[in-house]
Amino acid sequence: MNISIVGSGYVGIVTGIGFAEMGNNVIFVDVDPGKIEIINKKEPPIFEKGLKELMKKNKEAYYATDNYIDAILNSDITFICVGTPSNPDGSIDLSQVMGAAKSVAEVLAKKDDFHVVAVKSTVVPGTTEEVIIPTLEKHSKKGAFVDFGVAVTPEFLREGEAVDDFFNPDRVVIGSEDERTRKILDELHSPFKCPKLFVDLKTAEMIKYASNAFLATKISFANEIGNICKKLGIDSYKVFEGVGLDHRINPSFFRAGLGFGGSCFPKDVKALIAKAERLGYNPKLLKTVLEINDMQPAMMIDLLKKHLGNLSDKRIGLLGLTFKPDTDDIRESRAIILVKQLLKENAKVFAYDPVAIEKFKRLYSDVEYASSAQELVDNVDAVLIVTEWREFENVDYRGKIVIDGRRILKAREAKVYEGLCW
Ligand code: NAD
């Protein structure tokens, strides 16, 4: 099939290259000229395992452009994969989605063939019906479900494992209202052997939010139990090993520690809270999930002060700047919160990350950066472990003070070792 992908960020590029590998022709559309240039050089615009190789292998099957006319007229399905960040009040900022929908619609106005618009961006339940379809209809002067198809196909990939997740999803969710669209998307997804769920538009939107809200809840639950374990001198990892063996519970997402960050969990939980409140419902559990998450970096700083006292002029090293390992994504990373607080307390911050230093420098030029994890550890008064990059298991921590937010086993050899929740 011929596919266009609007928005070539983490989701767009992996989805597009994945579909190219499955034998489809793909056109990426983006408003960022730098990204278009990189993709057309057949290089990945993000750091993601396996992506570079797939982009080289399928180099004839895709290109990138800023030209919506070219992309929409030469494809049968458009996936909208633009960002949906938070507004200052936590509600969802739909400006990128609205911009993309308007641009797609202006070309649909000129297109005679049936075209499917599938929303892959994460949007709060009701958005496709209440905002995206009216935008598409207004600017195309055509009718949804008759002249063009509309669907919601939420994305569940994990950064760091995104390529593997694309080819091996746990499920494919297709929200649609008309049979023709359903059939086209069913055919496109036919190589996937996982369960496929066909639902209406807002159910598909809610499945994505409920999934992310549950995973965020599981992490905050692990952190709450972990915080109690810490006070009791219990290793929460042993506790969750025992808990996770219950088949009703499942062992994943029980890594107690610094909490979640990234471009999805914080913003999606906030957006669901804001949507619920607009509907007159007070989502107490979801609010507490965020509160517990916000507490964890503060607890790390408290542990640091327990050993160093006043932080003024102390050299504090951060190991890891990304929100999780195997990605270069620093959005809502715990490192950002920690750096802010450390600088406020006049500490001297030294940081190291295997891939994200250049990105982080754009936010914090007043931080000093190390060229290796060992260099960082050797030149600070205390080390904070912020991201569980595998290479941090190969560092010599002897003689140091280490506060570990992610359970790096080798760090236990430090002179002073404190686990955040163990
Ligand atoms: P991103 O910020 O990395 O990428 C968005 C891209 O859209 C950028 O390249 C930007 O230049 C482009 N863009 C913005 N406006 C545009 C327009 N009008 N026309 C064309 N391109 C435009 O975002 P992301 O992390 O890929 O997330 C995209 C969506 O997928 C979000 O809704 C997010 O919540 C959801 N999602 C993300 C992940 C993830 O792990 N990152 C996982 C599942 C779902």
Side-chain angles (χ1 to χ4, degrees), residues 318 321 330-341 360 363-364 386:
L318 263 68
L321 296 170
I330 57 168
R331 290 178 286 186
E332 299 257 356
S333 145
R334 309 276 85 189
I336 294 173
I337 302 167
L338 288 165
V339 167
K340 254 189 216 157
Q341 187 57 30
F360 211 83
L363 292 181
Y364 289 102
V386 183

Side-chain angles (χ1 to χ4, degrees), residues 47-60:
F47 174 83
E48 193 64 53
K49 200 169 51 199
L51 185 59
K52 193 177 179 140
E53 294 74 10
L54 277 187
M55 288 186 74
K56 295 268 178 253
K57 184 176 167 207
N58 294 287
K59 62 182 195 302
E60 306 300 337

Side-chain angles (χ1 to χ4, degrees), residues 5-13 29-33 35 46 65 68 80-85 92 95-101 103 120-123 154-160 162 208-209 212 262-264 267-268 323-324 329 331:
I5 301 276
V6 174
S8 320
Y10 286 82
V11 166
I13 192 74
V29 192
D30 209 288
V31 288
D32 178 345
K35 222 166 247 184
I46 53 161
T65 176
Y68 271 89
I80 295 185
C81 303
V82 296
T84 47
I92 188 169
S95 54
Q96 290 183 37
V97 171
M98 301 273 287
S103 303
K120 208 169 243 316
S121 298
T122 303
V123 292
E155 182 53 62
F156 301 97
L157 58 77
R158 296 164 298 168
E159 285 182 26
K208 174 65 189 170
Y209 276 91
N212 274 3
S263 67
C264 293
K267 86 165 169 70
D268 291 349
F323 84 97
K324 65 189 279 194
D329 199 341
R331 290 178 286 186

Side-chain angles (χ1 to χ4, degrees), residues 82-384:
V82 296
T84 47
S86 299
N87 285 315
D89 67 355
S91 64
I92 188 169
D93 172 354
L94 289 172
S95 54
Q96 290 183 37
V97 171
M98 301 273 287
K102 178 173 180 279
S103 303
V104 170
E106 284 166 355
V107 188
L108 288 183
K110 303 182 186 108
K111 183 167 180 176
D112 295 329
D113 299 335
F114 191 75
H115 191 96
V116 171
V117 181
V119 180
K120 208 169 243 316
S121 298
T122 303
V123 292
V124 289
T127 304
T128 302
E129 271 170 23
E130 293 157 20
V131 181
I132 298 177
I133 291 176
T135 305
L136 290 169
E137 289 184 327
K138 179 176 164 200
H139 295 281
S140 68
K141 301 194 171 51
K142 290 186 171 178
F145 316 123
V146 182
D147 303 316
F148 60 89
V150 180
V152 171
T153 53
E155 182 53 62
F156 301 97
L157 58 77
R158 296 164 298 168
E159 285 182 26
E161 307 289 335
V163 172
D164 195 45
D165 284 351
F166 176 86
F167 292 107
N168 303 291
D170 290 331
R171 75 298 211 188
V172 167
V173 174
I174 296 175
S176 64
E177 306 281 337
D178 66 295
E179 195 47 33
R180 194 169 173 186
T181 300
R182 198 188 103 115
K183 271 199 182 133
I184 292 169
L185 288 172
D186 193 13
E187 190 191 331
L188 177 68
H189 290 90
S190 60
F192 296 108
K193 296 301 165 220
C194 62
K196 285 183 201 85
L197 211 63
F198 294 95
V199 292
D200 63 24
L201 297 170
K202 58 184 179 204
T203 303
E205 292 166 334
M206 189 50 135
I207 289 171
K208 174 65 189 170
Y209 276 91
S211 299
N212 274 3
F214 182 78
L215 293 172
T217 304
K218 206 170 172 190
I219 295 171
S220 280
F221 174 79
N223 288 339
E224 179 128 290
I225 297 292
N227 293 341
I228 302 170
C229 284
K230 178 76 184 170
K231 291 199 180 292
L232 285 164
I234 297 171
D235 180 352
S236 63
Y237 277 62
K238 277 280 160 225
V239 171
F240 284 114
E241 195 184 331
V243 174
L245 286 169
D246 186 326
H247 74 277
R248 295 167 303 177
I249 296 181
N250 170 304
S252 52
F253 270 69
F254 271 149
R255 294 180 61 88
L258 254 181
F260 56 82
S263 67
C264 293
F265 290 173
K267 86 165 169 70
D268 291 349
V269 177
K270 280 183 209 157
L272 188 55
I273 290 172
K275 180 72 185 177
E277 285 182 330
R278 273 188 202 169
L279 296 167
Y281 178 78
N282 180 17
K284 287 189 203 168
L285 176 63
L286 299 180
K287 287 179 180 173
T288 307
V289 166
L290 292 183
E291 268 172 44
I292 294 171
N293 198 50
D294 288 345
M295 261 163 42
Q296 300 308 103
M299 293 182 58
M300 188 174 225
I301 301 275
D302 287 347
L303 283 175
L304 182 64
K305 285 183 181 165
K306 181 177 132 191
H307 295 286
L308 282 188
N310 190 325
L311 298 181
S312 184
D313 287 331
K314 300 271 167 50
R315 275 174 77 79
I316 311 300
L318 263 68
L319 275 187
L321 296 170
T322 52
F323 84 97
K324 65 189 279 194
D326 301 319
T327 176
D328 60 350
D329 199 341
I330 57 168
R331 290 178 286 186
E332 299 257 356
S333 145
R334 309 276 85 189
I336 294 173
I337 302 167
L338 288 165
V339 167
K340 254 189 216 157
Q341 187 57 30
L342 290 168
L343 292 176
K344 206 167 144 194
E345 304 210 18
N346 296 319
K348 294 204 169 1
V349 182
F350 203 29
Y352 171 73
D353 188 278
V355 298
I357 289 180
E358 288 312 314
K359 273 195 173 176
F360 211 83
K361 263 186 196 166
R362 283 176 229 147
L363 292 181
Y364 289 102
S365 52
D366 41 357
V367 166
E368 210 183 318
Y369 295 90
S371 55
S372 72
Q374 194 64 58
E375 185 199 340
L376 178 129
V377 171
D378 290 344
N379 289 288
V380 290
D381 296 310
V383 178
L384 304 180

